Amino acid sequence: MSRSARLFDLLQILRRHRGTVSGAVLAEESGVSLRTIRRDVLTLQAMGADIDAEAGVGYVLRPGFVLPPLSFTEEELHALVVGAEWVARQTDPQLAHAVSNALAKINGVLAPNMREALDDTSFYVGPTQRYVSTGFDLALYRQALREQRKMRITCMNQDGGTVELIIWPIMLGFEGTRRSVAGWCEAEATFRIFYEKYIVGAELAVDRYTRNRRTLVKEWRASDEYPCASSKVVLIADASRN
């Protein structure tokens, strides 16, 4: 691997970790020695990268530093194409338009010899037939996430009736053909997963929840209510009706 490619990979690792990461972790992920990591960090700092280094703690890359274009690999471009196709077919029109714009911006800065990979027609992501609820407007839920707005949702219950709940949306879920929203339920004072199939109505509330959404996500992931932390997956309706 060339030195320029190694420096670029190190930057990508620092960006991926976002917070402070130890030199030992950087060395392991880069496949180089700790001494090389220290030397490469000094090189990047000399190039203008805002990397804070603290002995015995690690390194953190402050946002805002952009290297001159080094180009994507062909596989990275293929991954972007497949991801863009999935977003365009599986989400809402606003996100489909956004991903199309993003690819156009990337194409504008690519080296000419790499543009063919971005226009590759080797992949096809087909549409998926799924249940579509009138109460699950993805754009509305994404607005709630961005603005940390509470939502008033109406869901079917186990008796076939409906129940109205106030939730703090913190994450959207895409599981195969199923869509869901995870959030803090004020009525039950716990985190819940609400599936599209059972949501018959939703609207933004005026109030915003004051807790930070990212903090709430971390708390949910650390709790027993998080699906990966427990065999219990909470549904708003009887699981036998899935």
Side-chain angles (χ1 to χ4, degrees):
M1 178 186 294
S2 68
R3 187 161 185 262
S4 61
R6 190 178 74 238
L7 291 173
F8 179 71
D9 285 348
L10 178 56
L11 272 177
Q12 293 302 95
I13 294 170
L14 286 166
R15 287 193 179 105
R16 187 169 67 244
H17 281 279
R18 297 186 182 179
T20 303
V21 57
S22 70
V25 170
L26 292 175
E28 181 180 356
E29 294 191 21
S30 301
V32 298
S33 68
L34 185 56
R35 177 177 295 180
T36 298
I37 290 296
R38 290 168 180 158
R39 185 168 60 246
D40 287 349
V41 166
L42 289 173
T43 300
L44 288 171
Q45 288 173 328
M47 294 171 63
D50 189 2
I51 301 174
D52 286 346
E54 185 175 347
V57 177
Y59 305 92
V60 60
L61 175 64
R62 301 299 178 189
F65 176 69
V66 179
L67 279 176
L70 294 178
S71 84
F72 293 92
T73 67
E74 189 168 338
E75 284 200 343
E76 287 170 342
L77 290 173
H78 286 168
L80 289 172
V81 169
V82 173
E85 285 286 329
W86 188 94
V87 169
R89 294 181 179 274
Q90 302 292 339
T91 61
D92 55 272
Q94 292 93 327
L95 274 185
H97 181 68
V99 78
S100 176
N101 281 344
L103 286 183
K105 289 178 181 179
I106 291 172
N107 185 65
V109 297
L110 279 178
N113 65 316
M114 296 302 295
R115 287 175 183 160
E116 185 176 344
L118 196 64
D119 295 328
D120 200 311
T121 56
S122 303
F123 310 99
Y124 171 74
V125 179
T128 300
Q129 294 297 322
R130 62 183 184 84
Y131 177 85
V132 178
S133 166
T134 56
F136 212 85
D137 180 347
L138 278 174
L140 189 68
Y141 286 91
R142 289 192 290 106
Q143 181 182 351
L145 294 177
R146 288 195 307 270
E147 299 177 1
Q148 295 193 172
R149 293 272 290 276
K150 296 182 181 182
M151 293 191 73
R152 182 177 292 103
I153 63 173
T154 304
C155 302
M156 292 187 293
N157 60 24
Q158 297 180 18
D159 300 323
T162 60
V163 58
E164 188 175 278
L165 301 167
I166 300 294
I167 67 169
W168 305 359
I170 61 172
M171 182 182 292
L172 286 171
F174 299 85
E175 307 167 75
T177 59
R178 294 198 302 179
R179 303 291 180 263
S180 62
V181 59
W184 177 263
C185 177
E186 288 191 352
E188 299 189 11
T190 190
F191 293 104
R192 297 286 298 270
I193 299 174
F194 303 94
Y195 287 98
E196 172 186 29
K197 187 173 182 178
Y198 304 111
I199 301 177
V200 296
E203 61 181 20
L204 284 176
V206 175
D207 296 338
R208 289 175 166 82
Y209 52 91
T210 55
R211 300 284 310 283
N212 182 271
R213 186 186 67 82
R214 295 180 185 276
T215 300
L216 289 169
V217 170
K218 290 179 181 178
E219 290 179 5
W220 178 45
R221 285 176 168 167
S223 72
D224 291 337
E225 283 76 21
Y226 189 64
C228 295
S230 167
S231 60
K232 179 181 71 174
V233 177
V234 181
L235 303 179
I236 192 63
D238 185 354
S240 64
R241 296 171 56 186
N242 272 342

